Amino acid sequence: MTVRTAGAEVELAIGGMTCASCAARIEKKLNRMDGVTATVNYATEKARVSYGDGVTVDDLIATVEATGYTAQEPAPPGRSDEPAREDGAGPDELRPLRQRLVTAVVLSVPVVAMAMVPALQFEYWQWLSLTLAAPVVTYAAWPFHRAAFTNARHGAATMDTLISVGTSAAFLWSLWALFLGSAGTPGMTHPFEPTITRSDGAGNIYLEAAAGVTAFVLAGRYFEARAKRKAGAALRALLELGAKDVTVLRADGREETVPVAALTVGDRFLVRPGEKIATDGTVVEGTSAVDASMLTGESVPVEVGVGDAVTGATVNAGGRLVVRAVRVGADTQLARMAKLVEDAQNGKAAAQRLADRISAVFVPVVIALALGTLGFWLGNGAGLTAAFTAAVAVLIIACPCALGLATPTALMVGTGRGAQLGILIKGPEVLESTRRVDTVVLDKTGTVTTGRMTLLAVHTTDGTDEAEALRLAGALEHSSEHPIARAVADGARERTGALPTPEDFANVPGLGVQGVVDGHAVLVGRRRLLAEWALEVPRDLARAVDAAEAAGRTAVLVAWDGAARAVLEIADAVKETSPEAIRRLRALGLRPVLLTGDNEAVARSVAHEVGIAPEDVVAEVLPQDKVEVIERLQAQGRSVAMVGDGVNDAAALARADLGLAMGTGTDAAIEAGDLTLVRGDLRAAADAVRLARRTLGTIRSNLFWAFAYNVAALPLAAAGLLDPMIAGAAMAFSSVFVVGNSLRLRAFRAA
């Protein structure tokens, strides 16, 4: 038995939930326990439970199991005993559901066709329909029957109950009509005669309703399950970012390659240029530039030397480093960020599907109406057959055929159109959020900006040729591995063409580079590098350096033949489309906020360039601070969308009411977001919000017509005046309407 101290908290993996009302039922049962506070998330299939003295984890699990579901403490992220596929789906859930769906579709299509098209009704067609429908109603629909039985044991009813009762009643009545009534007579047909007459039902079969409803609703469940299984992928993507192996330096000087998990605090390990730093630590030998943008959002690589702290999963972009491990395993910043994402996902309220909310009232009412209809006709002497026919007609007409199509068809068309436009929508839960969003928080690096260092401007002294300055600086920087050096070299090559090869080259750690190009002694780097050579910086170049640094840009000085002659401005350039994107977001009623780990000067410069107000700039924030900013805006009553691309954005994307991940960013950000913008163009964020809102509106109109059809037809069914073919035709029309309404989304155009 697992016993914990007062105020303990545990996370349980919940199994067996089929709709949002299942999560609500488990939550209600757990919260009835003394000293227990629970939140159950249907999307992630987890329950977060706080409990006090006298309560054990086993007690919590027993309560969940008594409610009709399963519960267990989950394995740590990335250490599940069950192998997971690349898409995050486990081996034992999606595959059986897909098999049931394929079975239902293949077998139900001919059943529906024969029932609805009299020309296909050959002499023994009804027996072929029974043969094809039986596996659909038993094997394919088994999850609905099992859930309905579980709900019945606990005095509850959900949409599963209605589907199970309706399909079972239709199938069982068809069996009675075929074997004991007149429906099994050779040559029996269902003529399409739009008349309303009362009959004893002995010649009526409802196999097309039983099979068709099963196929439609299974399709909805399959697409929902496929989207829902993405919930844990953000954690796996985060953990994959870390290094897998590390070269440890032993006391005797040996280099030994071991798995990162074998590192202990105090171990010294080697990090070569281009390698990931294995864990959080302190540099004990060497100097280099470390690219930490994936974790911190800082666009400029950080220069590190002996005594400086470095973070696991960042990339050594320069020289050789020896690092002493300070934090390992769950204590590292990467692991803490994974925890932040997990907390954010579990804390996000499960989107209660509209169909499930309505079914909480609709299902019990329909069942009560069916029983009332049976009792009424029996009491009026209509006979058992006629009374049962009317009761079954109530269940059949209420069985949600169009409802099974309402969400998945709109979602499939909407997401398909979105994919053509570079917008990926993860699931129906996402759409609920887009309608309410009024604030959009934008990460800077890689979202509003390109995410890479770029040569933006060149300033030269009088008489100095700009092309010559670029050619000499680019030739020298081409031999360096530093990201700023690459920006200079790439910019010089684009503007001047091929670069000469240096005759001599030397890297000056932390300051710049020096060498000989075409007979000129060239220096490229910071002011301190020129100061070491006793070179003065002319006043006009000094002003250019000051202006560049005030704008948050990196200023690189170029000197040759004993004189400083040029200043190069390097920065993370704003994407050309970002200003237009901000205008489009404002037009949708959204307030843009710039959120970045970069410094205040850089952030304000970028905000001014794209049209974001200075008061809507939040700079120099750590990953956990980004989550706090989102929460602070939410506490002010705002519904917040977050757009980001880095690992440092993953937790904020998960915490926001709507997360939009740039497809050009990291896997962790993409998996934590609700929408993915494949093109990496911020204008797609505005298109994504428009498309999601349009898709949500289509789903809502589909659901309205699906239920309106049921409500309008129920009185006719209860009165025993509904011919089965009229019911079938009405159900088909309802389904065709829903599909047609959904297909209108194909006409959506990007602004």
Side-chain angles (χ1 to χ4, degrees):
M1 180 185 295
T2 308
V3 183
R4 309 220 177 159
T5 58
E9 186 175 277
V10 68
E11 187 177 79
L12 300 176
I14 306 296
M17 293 191 294
T18 59
C19 62
S21 55
C22 296
R25 189 174 308 116
I26 298 169
E27 191 172 293
K28 185 177 180 181
K29 290 282 188 181
L30 287 171
N31 285 325
R32 283 180 177 173
M33 300 174 67
D34 291 336
V36 172
T37 303
T39 301
V40 180
N41 191 322
Y42 170 57
T44 59
E45 297 181 331
K46 290 181 179 179
R48 174 153 294 178
V49 189
S50 300
Y51 57 99
D53 280 338
V55 179
T56 67
V57 174
D58 289 342
D59 293 335
L60 300 173
I61 291 175
T63 298
V64 175
E65 291 177 343
T67 312
Y69 305 89
T70 63
Q72 61 181 356
E73 291 189 73
R79 298 190 183 184
S80 173
D81 294 333
E82 292 284 342
R85 294 204 306 264
E86 289 183 6
D87 62 358
D92 294 323
E93 184 175 330
L94 209 56
R95 186 162 148 263
L97 183 57
R98 189 187 306 110
Q99 290 173 339
R100 294 181 195 277
L101 173 60
V102 171
T103 300
V105 171
V106 170
L107 297 181
S108 63
V109 167
V111 173
V112 174
M114 285 188 289
M116 302 302 294
V117 182
L120 298 178
Q121 296 171 5
F122 57 92
E123 189 171 5
Y124 292 102
W125 72 274
Q126 67 271 46
W127 295 103
L128 177 60
S129 291
L130 175 63
T131 303
L132 296 175
V136 178
V137 179
T138 53
Y139 164 71
W142 175 245
F144 306 131
H145 303 319
R146 182 178 56 205
F149 176 73
T150 300
N151 292 329
R153 283 175 49 210
H154 298 90
T158 65
M159 195 60 73
D160 287 322
T161 305
L162 188 56
I163 295 166
S164 177
V165 172
T167 55
S168 297
F171 185 71
L172 292 174
W173 182 260
S174 299
L175 286 180
W176 181 90
L178 285 168
F179 287 98
L180 301 177
S182 58
T185 304
M188 184 278 286
T189 60
H190 268 181
F192 188 76
E193 296 175 356
T195 58
I196 299 178
T197 57
R198 181 177 290 121
S199 76
D200 63 3
N204 298 334
I205 59 174
Y206 303 90
L207 295 171
E208 76 283 358
V213 166
T214 300
F216 288 140
V217 180
L218 273 176
R221 290 288 168 85
Y222 173 74
F223 290 110
E224 179 185 27
R226 206 171 63 162
K228 192 175 68 175
R229 294 189 64 80
K230 296 280 188 179
L235 299 180
R236 286 189 292 274
L238 275 174
L239 294 171
E240 285 296 316
L241 284 173
K244 303 299 182 294
D245 300 306
V246 57
T247 303
V248 177
L249 299 178
R250 299 303 183 189
D252 58 5
R254 285 186 303 112
E255 294 184 4
E256 181 181 355
T257 301
V258 300
V260 169
L263 267 181
T264 59
V265 173
D267 282 349
R268 294 165 68 247
F269 60 91
L270 177 65
V271 188
R272 299 179 180 88
E275 290 184 343
K276 292 179 180 178
I277 296 173
T279 193
D280 298 357
T282 303
V283 177
V284 293
E285 290 181 27
T287 60
S288 182
V290 173
D291 181 359
S293 60
M294 293 175 69
L295 286 174
T296 66
E298 179 70 40
S299 56
V300 180
V302 180
E303 301 287 347
V304 298
V306 175
D308 291 331
V310 290
T311 305
T314 57
V315 179
N316 178 15
R320 177 182 183 275
L321 293 176
V322 176
V323 180
R324 177 179 288 110
V326 174
R327 289 187 294 269
V328 297
D331 296 327
T332 64
Q333 183 172 341
L334 181 65
R336 290 200 300 270
M337 289 178 66
K339 179 65 173 166
L340 277 173
V341 173
E342 187 175 23
D343 289 346
Q345 286 184 334
N346 288 334
K348 184 187 289 187
Q352 191 97 353
R353 294 285 294 278
L354 181 60
D356 287 315
R357 290 200 297 270
I358 298 176
S359 71
V361 176
F362 186 70
V363 175
V365 168
V366 168
I367 293 175
L369 183 60
L371 293 175
T373 301
L374 178 66
F376 174 81
W377 288 113
L378 285 176
N380 280 274
L384 177 61
T385 301
F388 191 69
T389 299
V392 169
V394 169
L395 291 173
I396 296 301
I397 203 65
C399 205
C401 182
L403 189 62
L405 285 169
T407 295
T409 53
L411 189 63
M412 282 189 292
V413 178
T415 54
R417 182 60 185 145
Q420 293 174 338
L421 299 173
I423 302 162
L424 302 182
I425 303 173
K426 286 195 175 177
E429 296 87 356
V430 173
L431 307 176
E432 293 283 352
S433 304
T434 61
R435 183 173 52 87
R436 300 187 300 271
V437 165
D438 55 24
T439 302
V440 56
V441 176
L442 305 169
D443 169 57
K444 180 187 73 68
T445 306
T447 302
V448 177
T449 64
T450 61
R452 63 181 184 275
M453 304 305 289
T454 305
L455 175 63
L456 298 182
V458 181
H459 306 276
T460 60
T461 56
D462 290 340
T464 300
D465 181 53
E466 180 179 309
E468 178 71 1
L470 279 175
R471 198 173 66 86
L472 295 176
L476 206 57
E477 293 283 41
H478 184 66
S479 300
S480 173
E481 298 175 340
H482 197 288
I484 291 178
R486 287 199 296 270
V488 172
D490 292 343
R493 190 182 302 107
E494 289 174 6
R495 300 187 189 193
T496 66
L499 300 174
T501 302
E503 301 167 25
D504 190 15
F505 172 84
N507 183 49
V508 184
L511 297 180
V513 293
Q514 64 187 51
V516 177
V517 181
D518 289 348
H520 299 286
V522 183
L523 297 174
V524 183
R526 301 184 177 183
R527 287 185 184 183
R528 282 175 52 200
L529 178 63
L530 273 65
E532 288 194 0
W533 286 81
L535 297 182
E536 290 188 8
V537 178
R539 185 174 301 173
D540 55 342
L541 291 187
R543 284 197 296 267
V545 170
D546 293 339
E549 292 177 346
R553 298 177 176 179
T554 299
V556 176
L557 284 154
V558 184
W560 66 89
D561 295 341
R565 302 174 188 270
V567 172
L568 312 180
E569 288 190 33
I570 311 297
D572 182 7
V574 170
K575 293 179 181 177
E576 292 181 0
T577 57
S578 290
E580 181 186 350
I582 299 300
R583 289 193 294 272
R584 291 187 185 181
L585 290 170
R586 287 190 187 279
L588 289 170
L590 303 177
R591 168 194 169 194
V593 175
L594 188 67
L595 183 65
T596 177
D598 237 335
N599 65 63
E600 187 81 19
V602 173
R604 289 188 177 276
S605 174
V606 170
H608 176 74
E609 191 171 343
V610 299
I612 295 176
E615 61 270 20
D616 290 330
V617 175
V618 185
E620 300 179 14
V621 290
L622 297 173
Q624 56 267 34
D625 297 328
K626 289 192 174 185
V627 175
E628 291 172 5
V629 171
I630 299 293
E631 291 174 338
R632 185 165 66 246
L633 289 168
Q634 290 170 332
Q636 295 171 2
R638 293 190 168 274
S639 183
V640 182
M642 169 74 188
V643 187
D645 75 320
V647 177
N648 60 304
D649 302 318
L653 286 166
R655 177 65 72 186
D657 298 290
L658 179 68
L660 295 92
M662 305 299 280
T664 51
T666 64
D667 289 343
I670 290 170
E671 296 297 352
D674 301 308
L675 293 164
T676 300
L677 312 178
V678 176
R679 301 196 307 268
D681 184 342
L682 189 56
R683 290 178 301 181
D687 292 333
V689 172
R690 288 176 50 241
L691 176 60
R693 288 177 177 176
R694 181 83 60 83
T695 305
L696 175 64
T698 301
I699 289 176
R700 288 179 176 275
S701 62
N702 284 351
L703 291 171
F704 169 78
W705 285 109
F707 278 111
Y709 151 76
N710 292 130
V711 171
L714 275 174
L716 293 176
L721 297 174
L722 200 59
D723 182 271
M725 288 310 296
I726 290 182
M731 291 177 74
F733 173 78
S734 178
S735 300
V736 169
F737 176 86
V738 163
V739 172
N741 192 40
S742 299
L743 289 174
R744 291 169 57 235
L745 287 167
R746 293 191 301 181
F748 179 86
R749 294 285 183 270

